[in-house]
Amino acid sequence: MPTTDPYAPDNIFAKMLRGEVPAHRVFEDDVALAFLDIMPQTPGHTLVIPKLAVRGIEDMPANAWGPYMTRVQTIAAAVKKGMEAEGLNLRQYDGAAGGQTVFHLHFHVLPRWGGEMLRRHGDRIEKQDVLKEQAARIRAAF
Ligand code: AMP
């Protein structure tokens, strides 16, 4: 069942899709946009959002998952390569009780290195020059 709450077109990711707020973009096509998380849990933490106006997993049309997850896979591979990561986590927080804070569907791509801890979700804002350098590394890895 789709969630009952309507999609809010003034959410921060909708504004990014419209180019109204800046983002350290690493990928964009007609299906998805990917950019660095401003409060990364690991270096190179990337978010992948569909271009459809959907809040969460129940709202995404069944036939849109294939194209979207194909982008998630491609972007995850570029994040891993560009950040020289040893592994990855894919995460999706669904609904307020699930930890979701921005109500436009997104997957988190988290590069991982052995022994390195994850920072808390939404812990602190990263410096712009660090995000800029990491975004360039990831863009160069496609
Ligand atoms: P979630 O809690 O799963 O909805 O994740 C939302 C994510 O969006 C959090 O990890 C935030 O750090 C991130 N975020 C919020 N605002 C921005 C922004 N302007 N640019 C990049 N990432 C953002």
Side-chain angles (χ1 to χ4, degrees), residues 12-13 16 21-22 35-39 45 47 93 99-103 106 108 121-122:
I12 189 83
F13 294 170
M16 263 177 212
V21 297
F35 51 88
L36 292 190
D37 194 305
I38 46 163
M39 291 184 267
H45 180 168
L47 301 174
Y93 299 82
Q100 187 174 9
T101 57
V102 178
F103 293 93
H106 53 283
H108 297 252
H121 187 48

Side-chain angles (χ1 to χ4, degrees), residues 1-2 37-38 42 46-47 52 67 73 85 91 97 99 113 115 132 142:
M1 283 288 287
D37 194 305
I38 46 163
T42 63
T46 298
L47 301 174
L52 294 174
Q73 180 188 39
R91 291 191 171 189
W113 294 264
K132 186 176 173 189
F142 280 94

Side-chain angles (χ1 to χ4, degrees), residues 48-83:
V48 185
I49 67 175
K51 291 207 162 172
L52 294 174
V54 289
R55 286 174 64 97
I57 54 175
E58 294 161 289
D59 308 307
M60 185 79 156
N63 65 1
W65 280 108
Y68 172 54
M69 292 309 290
T70 301
R71 272 54 174 196
V72 172
Q73 180 188 39
T74 300
I75 293 156
V79 169
K80 187 175 180 189
K81 184 176 169 196
M83 295 304 298

